[in-house]
Amino acid sequence: MILILGKNGYVSKRFQDFFNVKKMDFVCESLRGAPQYINILLQKHKPRYVINCIGYTGVPNIDECENNKEECLRVNSIIPAVVATACKEFGIKFLHVGTGCIYQDYGSGEYPTMFSEKETPNFCFGYNNCSWYSGTKELAETMISGVCKEYYIMRLRMPFSHVSNPKNYLSKLLKYKKIWSRNNSITNLDEFVNVCYLSLEQGIPYGIYNVVNPQPICAQDILEIAKKFGLENECEIIKDSEVMKTITQSPRSDCTLSTNKLKECNLELIPTRESVSRCFGYWEKEGNPFWL
Ligand SMILES: NC(=O)c1ccc[n+]([C@@H]2O[C@H](COP(=O)([O-])OP(=O)(O)OC[C@H]3O[C@@H](n4cnc5c(N)ncnc54)[C@H](OP(=O)(O)O)[C@@H]3O)[C@@H](O)[C@H]2O)c1
């Protein structure tokens, strides 16, 4: 039995689709009350592993986290730490969905151009430069790694897939009136789910993993690929970071993440351009192309 935490979320739903296709035993639970309820859930389901898809992501976007800081902190940092502690007590593997948006490439040469998991996050509370959302997600990493050893923190970044959704990065780019176009690491959500599953099943070394497609890509290039598949968005491209700051309430992270650690476990995702092309090729087609 696999326990997925968070029932109706974007990422949780994709894990559910995946396990349904695989015909694997899983159960999904919400954790809306006291987080200590996790102990009862672990006793009841006796899962082989727990996948935490709970997160406060803000509606319509992470800017909203700035207006509800206490709840965002509770959901993104405290709940993961409580769940990690419970998993440790019950001897259950714990996989937490993290984010890659805890790094910032200022292009100044001060930081590496590609961040590996060994790099200390630099877009977080300690640097006083981040969104509240990113701060709480980075804090979760510190707390989980402080309370348990048998954990995976899988960093997802700007998820995309062939299924249109307000949370799908490709859907967003097809809709925005203005786009910010800098090179960034992004993650095919279907590949992410598959890699999380394989990590748990194969028992790769515990720890933190950047789970992004190799090679960064910019929004403008993604729209060029979309055009080849008949999907167009005539939008304004913003190049000036000062202008960008006036569009969003909270700062956004731009960064490229290294995938070497995952590659060493033979779990690489497919190159970004190819993955994006496949998604536009399958755009909104029925069924689950689990081509991975
Ligand atoms: N989407 C992205 O762009 C993205 C990128 C990187 C990382 N992530 C991470 O991926 C995880 C899932 O994100 P998502 O996009 O699937 O988010 P989502 O669609 O907003 O879903 C969030 C989930 O969190 C649970 N939740 C929200 N508020 C809660 C609260 N107050 N108490 C308890 N549970 C609460 C909900 O559970 P119920 O459905 O059971 O009510 C829901 O399933 C998050 O940790 C997020 O930080 C997301």
Side-chain angles (χ1 to χ4, degrees):
M1 173 65 72
I2 298 156
L3 172 60
I4 301 174
L5 295 177
K7 263 189 174 168
N8 302 304
Y10 178 51
V11 175
S12 165
K13 287 278 187 198
R14 212 55 189 149
F15 271 105
Q16 294 173 49
D17 292 340
F18 180 85
F19 289 128
N20 274 326
V21 168
K22 288 243 172 228
K23 298 193 183 349
M24 290 184 69
D25 252 359
F26 71 92
V27 63
C28 241
E29 294 276 9
S30 290
L31 210 53
R32 288 270 167 183
Q36 283 76 9
Y37 182 60
I38 184 64
N39 290 284
I40 293 170
L41 293 177
L42 296 183
Q43 265 165 354
K44 181 175 160 195
H45 298 301
K46 300 189 175 32
R48 285 193 292 137
Y49 42 81
V50 173
I51 298 175
N52 181 30
C53 297
I54 289 174
Y56 192 102
T57 56
V59 179
N61 58 44
I62 60 156
D63 283 341
E64 197 257 330
C65 300
E66 307 294 323
N67 306 328
N68 205 350
K69 289 183 171 170
E70 296 85 351
E71 186 63 358
C72 180
L73 177 71
R74 193 182 79 79
V75 176
N76 287 351
S77 311
I78 310 290
I79 289 183
V82 172
V83 174
T85 306
C87 285
K88 181 189 170 189
E89 283 167 15
F90 282 80
I92 296 167
K93 284 185 193 178
F94 175 55
L95 185 144
H96 174 72
V97 180
T99 178
C101 291
I102 53 177
Y103 292 102
Q104 183 63 281
D105 177 10
Y106 293 100
S108 60
E110 188 185 350
Y111 296 104
T113 47
M114 196 174 267
F115 293 94
S116 79
E117 294 83 348
K118 285 189 185 133
E119 241 71 58
T120 307
N122 67 346
F123 190 71
C124 52
F125 292 140
Y127 284 74
N128 203 22
N129 61 349
C130 62
S131 62
W132 189 260
Y133 169 80
S134 289
T136 59
K137 293 294 289 183
E138 192 277 332
L139 191 55
E141 291 200 351
T142 307
M143 292 170 87
I144 292 167
S145 56
V147 297
C148 90
K149 293 277 169 283
E150 298 182 346
Y151 69 85
Y152 295 109
I153 295 175
M154 308 306 261
R155 292 174 176 161
L156 171 72
R157 192 150 198 276
M158 301 204 269
F160 66 93
S161 86
H162 70 291
V163 183
S164 177
N165 185 289
K167 290 205 146 198
N168 178 345
Y169 183 54
L170 303 185
S171 304
K172 291 181 187 182
L173 289 182
L174 289 173
K175 200 184 74 187
Y176 285 156
K177 299 267 179 286
K178 296 178 179 186
I179 62 163
W180 167 243
S181 193
R182 271 195 67 187
N183 271 348
N184 268 296
S185 290
I186 61 175
T187 308
N188 180 312
L189 183 58
D190 290 348
E191 294 183 67
F192 175 84
V193 166
N194 187 43
V195 158
C196 289
Y197 161 74
L198 292 173
S199 303
L200 287 158
E201 289 293 325
Q202 294 175 5
I204 66 169
Y206 291 115
I208 299 177
Y209 290 87
N210 296 334
V211 188
V212 297
N213 292 79
Q215 306 301 330
I217 194 165
C218 68
Q220 203 170 353
D221 286 353
I222 292 175
L223 286 178
E224 286 299 322
I225 298 172
K227 221 184 251 182
K228 290 184 192 151
F229 292 92
L231 297 156
E232 291 222 33
N233 180 14
E234 294 299 332
C235 54
E236 183 189 340
I237 313 278
I238 303 167
K239 294 275 182 197
D240 184 341
S241 61
E242 292 308 311
V243 176
M244 181 61 192
K245 278 181 202 160
T246 64
I247 294 172
T248 59
Q249 186 185 341
S250 57
R252 297 294 195 271
S253 131
D254 284 302
C255 63
T256 301
L257 304 181
S258 161
T259 54
N260 286 341
K261 187 173 174 185
L262 207 56
K263 194 175 174 184
E264 280 163 20
C265 302
N266 298 316
L267 288 176
E268 224 182 356
L269 278 66
I270 62 177
T272 313
R273 284 182 158 272
E274 191 185 331
S275 190
V276 167
S277 296
R278 285 193 194 190
C279 287
F280 284 132
Y282 278 103
W283 195 245
E284 290 294 32
K285 294 228 166 78
E286 288 294 313
N288 297 318
F290 282 106
W291 14 257
L292 308 163

